[in-house]
Amino acid sequence: MLPYKQIELSLQVAVRAVLPDADVSSVLVRPCDPKFGDYQCNALMALAKARKLNPRQLATDVLAKLEVSAVCETPEIAGAGFLNFRLKNSVIVQALEAALGGAALFIDQATSPKTVVIDFSSPNVAKPMHVGHIRSTGIGDALQRTLRLLGHRVISDNHIGDWGTQFGKLLLGWRQILDREALGRDAISELERLYKVINAECDADPARLESAKAELVKLQAGDAENVAIWKEMIALSQQQFDTIYGRLGVKFDFALGESFYNPWLGAVVADLLTRGVARVSEGAVGVFSDGSLPPKEDPFLVSRDGEWVADPGLVRKSDGGFNYLTTDLATIDYRLKTWAPAEIIYVVDDRQSGHFKKLFLTFARWKNAEAKTTRLVHAGFGKILGDDGKPFKTRSGDTVKLADLLDEAEERALKIVSEKSPEMPAIQRREIARVIGLGAVKYADLLPNRQSDYIFNWDKMLALQGNTAPYLQYAYARIKSIFRKAEAAEAPGHPPSAIILAAPEELALARHLLNFGLTLEAVADELRPNYLCNYLFELAGKFTAFYENCPVLKAGDAAARESRLALCDLTARVLRQGLATLGIETVEQM
Ligand code: ARG
């Protein structure tokens, strides 16, 4: 068990001894400013506050019962009632040696794994994936990798938009103006063209709109020909999505599109009506405010001219069609029945936060018991902006297609690699450029707090200096080159196994290495991959300080050299595993 886990468990035992009724699950430690120690626990203050106890007194009482002398120096009470812990050097050494000996890389697997469904990427059929899809796809993938690494059971599900009124127009276009050749060349572009043309015609001519609606009605009624065309549109889109997922290295366990839930939608609405969760209004069926929330927090109300008016969540339109919300309700029901998850995470644009608030509240009113045992979370994210602070567009003002963006990333990276290493064979340069280019785009997207908008900037994300993927990939490759040199200098000996921590830079690096798993846990708890980005950036910084101050290959004696090589090795492994958890590859040489 890692030292911080041992501290946590001992703390929980001590808190229970002092406060037998306390819920100790919040009694955790977090890394802290090295000035104060390695870890800090601030949970006692909340426990004291809830019981109207003096927090410093509670901290004193807990300390009296606390037995952590095996792992730390004497803990200290600080400030209003924090506890600070400083690990014994021998414990740090032991943990590093265990990792060298093949133990998991500073990760303690979850003792009670949970089942989590992650709903992410979810593009719409017949539309190209655009730059915005990098957000849901990258964040969702980083979360699934993190949770899996921690030992949880993850079910990733791509909730593809394969149903909806747009298919009326698409079907009409397919039947009347389809260019087969263009379809063969680039199916999604051709589908996009069909939609644009017919949509414009429908806007201008009500008769066209009626024809499109007629096609939709036929599809909904199961007309064989329309169903076949619709299926072909899905298959063609899926091929392009899969190409992009292949490039990005993203895998899903399921891709149950919206249409998968069609058979249940009628029953969902009927049940909502029977239970009084929804009601008929102007021919449609909707969910309305039940008055239990203050208007400001109530998603079923909007303010208009200073007054709160109803903003229902529609589940059936007046023409009998169903809504996005209906499908999402059926989807939760299906997921609960199929996988019994403890949590469903939706990685979706913050612009849909109103939808998810309505969804979660409706679900709680519909299936109260289930809602209590399943946490539904909207992990929202902000926009990608151009240099002008407006949504990122191409020079001609179109949305940026994801495939084009990835091509450009690789091209730009190739230029940089070719300038740096013109002597390298072209095939190797291209592979390095692929890894750097894709890594740069993914990392730049994961680095900001996910709810913030960020400015897309090629030069910044591809820079070899600063908090970027290329910087981390380079740090990794540089460590690998140390090993290449070490091997060239002598016959490879046994792998290093004994650690000596003498210089302050060695200690700082070692302490940081130990916190890899703890960082992953923070990522999983708050659904924030940026914590891992920052951890890795700090790791690379601490490694640089170590490398500049502690000679490795030229170390004075063999033992120091061994130990330093071992620190290099562990750093490289954590960098590689950390980047992989963000969905980013590494190369051995750059
Ligand atoms: N296809 C939707 C869109 O592009 C996103 C779906 C997100 N997932 C969900 N269960 N609603 O806006």
Side-chain angles (χ1 to χ4, degrees):
M1 200 191 298
L2 286 168
Y4 81 89
K5 273 267 148 89
Q6 295 181 42
I7 299 175
E8 276 180 0
L9 289 184
S10 310
L11 256 175
Q12 294 177 354
V13 170
V15 169
R16 229 183 267 121
V18 178
L19 303 172
D21 63 319
D23 171 14
V24 296
S25 63
S26 65
V27 178
L28 304 170
V29 298
R30 288 286 165 250
C32 70
D33 187 325
K35 271 195 294 220
F36 305 118
D38 290 300
Y39 301 105
Q40 182 167 80
C41 171
N42 54 21
L44 298 185
M45 292 179 301
L47 288 175
K49 196 171 169 212
R51 291 170 174 70
K52 302 201 164 54
L53 299 171
N54 174 334
R56 279 192 76 99
Q57 186 57 49
L58 177 62
T60 312
D61 296 345
V62 169
L63 266 197
K65 300 268 177 207
L66 186 64
E67 185 40 68
V68 286
S69 57
V71 280
C72 336
E73 314 291 348
T74 312
E76 280 166 18
I77 304 175
F82 297 99
L83 290 179
N84 290 336
F85 302 89
R86 191 178 293 279
L87 295 176
K88 289 186 167 162
N89 279 6
S90 58
V91 169
I92 302 176
V93 167
Q94 266 167 28
L96 295 181
E97 287 177 352
L100 278 177
L105 211 47
F106 313 112
I107 299 169
D108 270 327
Q109 296 247 316
T111 35
S112 38
K114 54 183 178 184
T115 301
V116 183
V117 173
I118 310 185
D119 176 321
F120 73 99
S121 195
S122 312
N124 296 324
V125 165
K127 283 196 203 157
M129 285 176 82
H130 57 78
V131 55
H133 286 107
I134 194 80
R135 304 231 64 190
S136 175
T137 309
I139 297 169
D141 188 44
L143 294 178
Q144 76 163 334
R145 289 170 184 268
T146 304
L147 285 157
R148 288 210 164 99
L149 193 55
L150 290 171
H152 298 290
R153 174 180 177 234
V154 175
I155 291 141
S156 52
D157 186 12
N158 193 353
H159 193 73
I160 301 205
D162 62 359
W163 195 251
T165 49
Q166 72 273 27
F167 284 101
K169 291 169 184 166
L170 284 164
L171 282 162
L172 189 62
W174 183 287
R175 286 172 174 281
Q176 297 185 348
I177 58 163
L178 179 66
D179 176 345
R180 280 268 164 200
E181 211 198 326
L183 190 76
R185 242 182 293 122
D186 181 352
I188 293 192
S189 292
E190 174 60 5
L191 292 174
E192 202 186 13
R193 184 188 72 86
L194 298 185
Y195 182 82
K196 279 191 185 150
V197 171
I198 303 290
N199 193 43
E201 289 178 9
C202 288
D203 283 347
D205 177 2
R208 287 299 271 169
L209 186 61
E210 283 314 307
S211 319
K213 276 193 183 156
E215 294 298 341
L216 181 67
V217 170
K218 271 164 66 187
L219 173 68
Q220 287 166 340
D223 171 82
E225 220 179 284
N226 274 6
V227 168
I229 299 173
W230 167 70
K231 283 195 172 150
E232 196 172 342
M233 291 193 241
I234 295 177
L236 290 168
S237 303
Q238 189 68 54
Q239 271 170 25
Q240 289 203 9
F241 298 157
D242 286 344
T243 308
I244 291 200
Y245 294 136
R247 277 181 90 172
L248 293 174
V250 175
K251 294 200 185 92
F252 298 90
D253 300 311
F254 296 92
L256 304 176
E258 293 181 18
S259 68
F260 176 78
Y261 303 95
N262 283 349
W264 294 289
L265 301 183
V268 167
V269 174
D271 202 33
L272 290 170
L273 282 168
T274 319
R275 290 169 190 270
V277 177
R279 63 179 155 85
V280 180
S281 164
E282 296 169 30
V285 180
V287 181
F288 291 78
S289 169
D290 64 357
S292 63
L293 287 171
K296 259 195 170 154
E297 288 159 33
D298 191 331
F300 299 104
L301 295 177
V302 275
S303 162
R304 229 169 257 144
D305 305 324
E307 247 180 273
W308 293 105
V309 296
D311 182 21
L314 293 182
V315 290
R316 199 173 70 202
K317 299 178 211 172
S318 48
D319 68 5
F322 300 104
N323 301 70
Y324 188 45
L325 179 61
T326 330
T327 307
D328 259 327
L329 286 166
T331 307
I332 302 182
D333 192 39
Y334 176 86
R335 288 173 176 164
L336 260 53
K337 285 181 176 138
T338 312
W339 300 303
E343 221 167 286
I344 305 178
I345 299 166
Y346 298 84
V347 188
V348 184
D349 197 314
D350 261 337
R351 282 172 280 200
Q352 292 194 29
S353 69
H355 166 73
F356 285 103
K357 281 187 193 140
K358 283 178 176 166
L359 173 66
F360 299 168
L361 284 171
T362 303
F363 187 73
R365 277 156 69 180
W366 180 35
K367 309 228 163 184
N368 200 262
E370 288 93 330
K372 285 201 174 107
T373 53
T374 311
R375 199 165 84 103
L376 302 175
V377 201
H378 175 206
F381 51 79
K383 297 186 280 292
I384 304 181
L385 307 175
D387 281 331
D388 54 1
K390 302 209 184 94
F392 185 50
K393 292 269 163 70
T394 62
R395 236 174 251 142
S396 53
D398 297 322
T399 44
V400 180
K401 292 187 180 163
L402 188 47
D404 296 343
L405 185 94
L406 300 182
D407 289 345
E408 185 167 353
E410 292 184 22
E411 270 160 37
R412 284 177 180 260
L414 182 60
K415 240 176 148 180
I416 297 173
V417 176
S418 300
E419 272 162 25
K420 273 198 89 119
S421 317
E423 73 297 340
M424 209 180 254
I427 181 163
Q428 192 183 356
R429 268 184 283 140
R430 208 161 296 126
E431 170 62 5
I432 296 175
R434 183 187 69 77
V435 171
I436 292 186
L438 298 181
V441 171
K442 285 189 180 189
Y443 191 87
D445 192 75
L446 293 169
L447 177 62
N449 172 343
R450 66 178 152 73
Q451 278 120 329
S452 319
D453 297 343
Y454 75 91
I455 291 178
F456 192 94
N457 183 314
W458 283 117
D459 294 334
K460 216 169 134 192
M461 70 179 73
L462 283 161
L464 285 170
Q465 292 302 326
N467 196 349
T468 66
Y471 168 71
L472 297 173
Q473 290 166 322
Y474 184 68
Y476 173 79
R478 197 174 51 159
I479 300 177
K480 287 289 157 174
S481 82
I482 300 172
F483 282 94
R484 281 192 294 274
K485 273 189 215 139
E487 270 172 40
E490 66 193 289
H494 65 91
S497 59
I499 303 266
I500 309 158
L501 299 175
E505 293 84 5
E506 287 174 315
L507 258 165
L509 176 62
R511 294 196 141 100
H512 196 67
L513 282 168
L514 240 55
N515 289 340
F516 180 44
L518 188 53
T519 305
L520 294 173
E521 286 178 29
V523 171
D525 284 349
E526 297 180 41
L527 310 176
R528 297 198 183 281
N530 56 315
Y531 293 168
L532 179 54
C533 298
N534 287 319
Y535 168 86
L536 295 173
F537 180 60
E538 268 184 55
L539 177 63
K542 291 195 194 298
F543 180 79
T544 304
F546 153 79
Y547 194 62
E548 281 167 2
N549 289 289
C550 309
V552 177
L553 297 179
K554 296 200 171 83
D557 62 279
R561 183 175 186 278
E562 279 248 310
S563 165
R564 288 175 184 174
L565 272 174
L567 284 173
C568 290
D569 178 46
L570 289 171
T571 304
R573 278 159 61 188
V574 170
L575 276 173
R576 188 176 137 111
Q577 172 86 76
L579 284 169
T581 308
L582 296 171
I584 296 173
E585 294 174 67
T586 38
V587 283
E588 301 296 296
Q589 203 174 344
M590 261 168 80

